[in-house]
Amino acid sequence: MSLFKKNEASEADKNKEVSLKNKPARTPEKKSAEYRKRVFKNGGYTTLITVFVVAVVIVLNLVVSNLGIQADMTEGNLYTLTDTSKGLLKKLDDNIDIYVLASESGADTRISKMIDEFTKISKKVKVEYKDPTVYPDFVKTYVDTTTTSVSQNSVIVVDETNGRSKFISAYDLVQTTFDQSTYQQKLSGYDVEGQITSAIQYVTSTTLPTVYYTTGHGESDLSESTNSYLKKQNVNVEGLATVSETEIPASCSALIINAPVNDFTTAETDMIKKYLENGGDAVITCAYTTNDMTNFESLLEYYGIKTVSGIVMEPDSDKTINGISYVLNPSVLSSDITSNTASNNKPLAFFEAVGLSDDVEVRSSVKVTGLLQTSDNAYSKTNLSSGTFKKEDADIAGPFYIGMSAEESVDNGTTHLIVYSSSSLTSAIDMNGQGTLDFTGYSSMGNLDLFTDSVNYVVDRTDSELTVPAKSFSQEYLAIPTSTQNFLMFLTIILLPLIVVGLGAIEVVKRRRL
């Protein structure tokens, strides 16, 4: 029975083959015509879709153009107000006039475009253009032109309600950098929003803080970036020769002692201590010095903070800048003062830092808090002439604090004392005749932000968040810890190529077995 069925199947296959052989084949001409028809059909669909898309784009452009709709597509949103500025504008009670000192046709379009954004958020803000060459008397109403240079594109912000005004130089509205290839200054960014927001805050505020910085003890000068940033935050900064004073001025919102290398007198120390005991506030930076600093150290110890001899060395490369053991990038500890620093994740740079410790007896009413800290392996090198950065027997083992705060409740309020261990937080560093190194001038570093946050904290600035950073055109460079750099090199140069080669080898073996 099975043999019969098999023979039947064979016969059917033979008949099928004969049928296929007898079927007429398509000629090349017929194949070509069918192909052209198919291609034409597909091409027609493609052309139709393309025409439709182009038409839609043209119509949308016409609609958007007629409605005046614009979108800020620039990197960093150069022409878009931040939520900080929008929040300030929405709370405005006074009418604000912004006068651009230029003709409307001759104004810098990027400056005027940013200023116009303020009028879109608040109806209480209006903009007018006043060319100083055409309206010289108008300018003199708000600016002393005998002492202040007024240039095109400068701005005057006026509060119509109280009459207060603030002049903003055109040079403050732009940022420039020095081009090493051309030896000329080049435009690197705009600070229009930040300066205008600051000016509105200034003219609408009834009181502004004043901080004094001590002089006469070899203190480091506050860097230009630090002074400019404090000014932008509407903080008045004045020098104070404490040796010639009998008391700290009543107008002092906070006292800055910036890295003294010579000691204070006993009278000066008692005067500062009295100021703090009455609810005063201070931000202090330390500096390594071989001079006797008994009085200065006693002031810190009175509030539970002790300095450690020598300069802190950090063997953990993750806690340094570029692996340099005496340029620290300490861990940020949790506190109200350092919350912004922790969230923005910018590296810090403490050059030749002095270690801080809470190993000192202090009254129970004082609360001492660590703000920044080294690794457990850090040590303080006491013999700087030994010719080595490696730890020696005489060196002091860590860890150390690099920033500390002390608070004490008193009859007149609360005393705040914040101490950091290097002036690189606030000042340019002299590199022993090799120029200066200013970490406060780099927007990618967190030094300037931490210092100004500290000042705002001690003066109790509830509106400190109104500071808007400048918007830069230049490329920012990411600071990557050394250990991370080594891992990325291992990953991209060794591990990934090995994985690719291994997968290729496995595929070759599989194909050979097929």
Side-chain angles (χ1 to χ4, degrees), residues 401-435:
Y401 291 115
I402 303 302
M404 300 182 72
S405 70
E407 295 185 1
E408 183 177 24
S409 296
V410 294
D411 293 338
N412 296 331
T414 303
T415 296
H416 300 95
L417 184 73
I418 301 177
V419 182
Y420 295 106
S421 62
S422 171
S423 64
S424 62
L425 184 72
T426 57
S427 309
I429 304 298
D430 184 3
M431 303 297 290
N432 299 321
Q434 302 299 317

Side-chain angles (χ1 to χ4, degrees), residues 2 60 62 167 194 224 248 277 307 320 398 441 482 498 504:
S2 60
L60 284 176
L62 290 173
F167 170 76
E224 181 179 347
I248 303 298
E277 288 175 335
T307 58
T320 68
T482 303
L498 286 176

Side-chain angles (χ1 to χ4, degrees), residues 333-376:
L333 306 181
S334 177
S335 72
D336 292 337
I337 301 170
T338 59
S339 59
N340 288 337
T341 302
S343 61
N344 65 30
N345 205 30
K346 292 182 180 179
L348 300 168
F350 285 82
F351 182 86
E352 294 185 351
V354 175
L356 303 175
S357 168
D358 58 1
D359 186 21
V360 57
E361 291 291 333
V362 67
R363 54 203 175 280
S364 59
S365 57
V366 176
K367 178 185 177 182
V368 180
T369 305
L371 304 177
L372 309 171
Q373 192 172 33
T374 67
S375 72
D376 293 341

Side-chain angles (χ1 to χ4, degrees), residues 186-247:
K186 69 175 183 178
L187 185 66
S188 61
Y190 279 87
D191 194 18
V192 180
E193 180 189 356
Q195 293 291 344
I196 298 296
T197 298
S198 173
I200 293 175
Q201 179 191 1
Y202 174 84
V203 299
T204 56
S205 299
T206 55
T207 58
L208 297 171
T210 298
V211 299
Y212 289 84
Y213 59 90
T214 63
T215 62
H217 314 90
E219 291 95 338
S220 297
D221 294 329
L222 296 177
S223 70
E224 181 179 347
S225 299
T226 302
N227 275 313
S228 296
Y229 206 64
L230 288 173
K231 179 182 177 182
K232 183 177 174 181
Q233 291 192 329
N234 297 312
V235 175
N236 299 318
V237 183
E238 297 184 20
L240 182 67
T242 51
V243 70
S244 59
E245 300 288 337
T246 57
E247 63 180 11

Side-chain angles (χ1 to χ4, degrees), residues 427-460:
S427 309
I429 304 298
D430 184 3
M431 303 297 290
N432 299 321
Q434 302 299 317
T436 58
L437 182 60
D438 185 6
F439 291 109
T440 68
Y442 294 96
S443 59
S444 58
M445 304 295 293
N447 289 34
L448 187 57
D449 294 329
L450 177 58
F451 176 69
T452 52
D453 284 346
S454 300
V455 172
N456 280 321
Y457 181 82
V458 298
V459 302
D460 194 23

Side-chain angles (χ1 to χ4, degrees), residues 79-284:
Y79 305 113
T80 302
L81 293 183
T82 61
D83 291 338
T84 298
S85 296
K86 291 177 182 178
L88 172 65
L89 293 171
K90 291 176 181 178
K91 296 177 182 177
L92 275 180
D93 294 323
D94 300 351
N95 292 321
I96 304 296
D97 293 327
I98 301 177
Y99 296 102
V100 181
L101 301 185
S103 64
E104 188 166 0
S105 60
D108 186 319
T109 54
R110 284 180 286 192
I111 291 178
S112 59
K113 189 175 182 179
M114 189 74 250
I115 292 176
D116 287 341
E117 292 298 311
F118 285 81
T119 63
K120 296 177 182 178
I121 303 301
S122 175
K123 294 181 179 180
K124 290 184 174 294
V125 179
K126 65 179 182 179
V127 179
E128 291 187 37
Y129 291 84
K130 296 284 187 178
D131 190 334
T133 59
V134 179
Y135 302 98
D137 293 335
F138 171 82
V139 175
K140 291 178 182 178
T141 304
Y142 299 102
V143 183
D144 183 357
T145 55
T146 60
T147 58
T148 304
S149 176
V150 178
S151 59
Q152 291 281 330
N153 292 301
S154 296
V155 174
I156 301 173
V157 177
V158 181
D159 186 326
E160 288 185 2
T161 305
N162 58 32
R164 285 171 60 86
S165 64
K166 185 173 183 179
F167 170 76
I168 307 172
S169 171
Y171 299 107
D172 292 330
L173 297 174
V174 298
Q175 287 189 319
T176 59
T177 55
F178 183 73
D179 191 334
Q180 296 285 352
S181 60
T182 62
Y183 296 98
Q184 292 180 345
Q185 296 288 337
K186 69 175 183 178
L187 185 66
S188 61
Y190 279 87
D191 194 18
V192 180
E193 180 189 356
Q195 293 291 344
I196 298 296
T197 298
S198 173
I200 293 175
Q201 179 191 1
Y202 174 84
V203 299
T204 56
S205 299
T206 55
T207 58
L208 297 171
T210 298
V211 299
Y212 289 84
Y213 59 90
T214 63
T215 62
H217 314 90
E219 291 95 338
S220 297
D221 294 329
L222 296 177
S223 70
E224 181 179 347
S225 299
T226 302
N227 275 313
S228 296
Y229 206 64
L230 288 173
K231 179 182 177 182
K232 183 177 174 181
Q233 291 192 329
N234 297 312
V235 175
N236 299 318
V237 183
E238 297 184 20
L240 182 67
T242 51
V243 70
S244 59
E245 300 288 337
T246 57
E247 63 180 11
I248 303 298
S251 59
C252 181
S253 302
L255 187 67
I256 296 176
I257 303 176
N258 193 38
V261 292
N262 298 311
D263 204 9
F264 290 75
T265 65
T266 302
E268 288 177 289
T269 306
D270 292 341
M271 178 179 66
I272 295 172
K273 186 182 293 185
K274 181 180 178 181
Y275 161 75
L276 294 172
E277 288 175 335
N278 287 328
D281 304 302
V283 179
I284 299 173

